[in-house]
Amino acid sequence: MKVKQFLAIILMSLCGITSAQAQTQIIAHRGYWDKLGSAQNSLSSLENAIKFGAYGSELDVWITKDGIVVLNHDETYQGVVIQTATYAELSALRLVNGEPIPTLQQYINIAKKQNKTKLIVEIKSHYTAEDDRRAARETVRLINESGIAGMVDYISFSEHVCKELIRLNPKHRVAYLNGEKSPATLKAEGYWGLDYAWNVLKEQHPEWIKEAKALGLTTNVWTVNNVERMQYFISQGIDYITTDNPQLLRGLLTE
Ligand code: MG
């Protein structure tokens, strides 16, 4: 072992941290979209996140009536309800940068060309529990068949989605978004981590980051866009910060 590596490990163990959690990682919220020519949940936002070298690029997915997993944040796009539309109906629509609404398969095809930036796949809450489970199963099928399971973390507000993901494979990395479950409950239910709103982790339950870490759960916070909050969560040793401003966060992390 080189002297420098040895000293680094000694230093980290004195500080009570391991290399796996030594530094907060950057997740680009809805991709790195805040750049000229891009749009939230677009293929270009994923390409930007990869070029930037983010730990992860977050995306929101729904399943259409005819079983295609597509990206969109809201329940509707330009008045069309994603979950009750066919893919053909959606394919005519354009994002603000002119791109069509991407499919998850198109996202996967870009993600699999590299091995640094993970997909942080948020499966949205559909009208029925069965559609939540159907969306979870189809998302997992596409990811597994593409051979990028190791590059994907799952997140959801829906317990139906999360339970189905954990049932399909207890090793799926599933983090819960909704903010009301304690770390102990998440651990008992087979979750990999928590991914809570900044006010939950800073104001309502500031003790949950430490509790989660002690239980071996990962910790992620959304959506943190200002310096003061970024600095707070970095000081708490949070594993991931989900942000619309990856460049600002990187600046703080490399200070
Ligand atoms: Mg999302």
Side-chain angles (χ1 to χ4, degrees), residues 128-190:
T128 68
E130 184 40 38
D131 274 348
D132 275 358
R133 289 190 282 266
R134 195 168 68 98
R137 287 192 296 270
E138 182 61 7
T139 298
V140 166
R141 187 186 73 79
L142 293 169
I143 285 165
N144 288 352
E145 285 188 2
S146 304
I148 63 156
M151 297 283 296
V152 173
D153 302 340
Y154 295 101
I155 58 176
S156 188
F157 285 93
S158 164
E159 284 201 78
H160 303 299
V161 166
C162 293
K163 279 184 182 159
E164 184 68 357
L165 291 168
I166 294 165
R167 186 191 71 78
L168 287 168
N169 185 347
K171 289 191 174 149
H172 278 152
R173 293 181 295 276
V174 183
Y176 186 56
L177 291 167
N178 206 41
E180 85 286 10
K181 288 178 187 283
S182 71
T185 301
L186 292 172
K187 184 71 183 175
E189 293 180 356

Side-chain angles (χ1 to χ4, degrees), residues 48 55 59 70 116 118 127 162 168 198 200 229 242:
N48 291 340
Y55 162 86
L59 57 142
V70 298
K116 174 161 172 55
K118 288 176 139 195
Y127 293 149
C162 293
L168 287 168
W198 69 266
V200 172
R229 283 181 202 148
T242 302

Side-chain angles (χ1 to χ4, degrees), residues 29-30 41 58-60 73 120 122 124 155 157 177:
H29 181 233
R30 306 181 195 172
N41 283 310
E58 193 255 1
L59 57 142
D60 303 291
H73 180 266
I120 314 301
E122 177 180 352
K124 303 299 288 192
I155 58 176
F157 285 93
L177 291 167

Side-chain angles (χ1 to χ4, degrees), residues 66 85-93:
D66 53 345
T86 61
Y87 178 63
E89 289 171 279
L90 297 175
S91 61
L93 305 177

Side-chain angles (χ1 to χ4, degrees), residues 17-64:
I17 52 178
T18 67
S19 56
Q21 57 185 124
Q23 196 179 32
T24 301
Q25 302 287 324
I26 303 170
I27 295 176
H29 181 233
R30 306 181 195 172
Y32 193 168
W33 55 268
D34 193 10
K35 281 180 128 21
L36 191 65
S38 192
Q40 297 186 357
N41 283 310
S42 68
L43 296 178
S44 67
S45 72
L46 172 60
E47 284 162 351
N48 291 340
I50 290 170
K51 214 176 291 171
F52 174 80
Y55 162 86
S57 188
E58 193 255 1
L59 57 142
D60 303 291
V61 302
W62 301 86
I63 193 164
T64 63

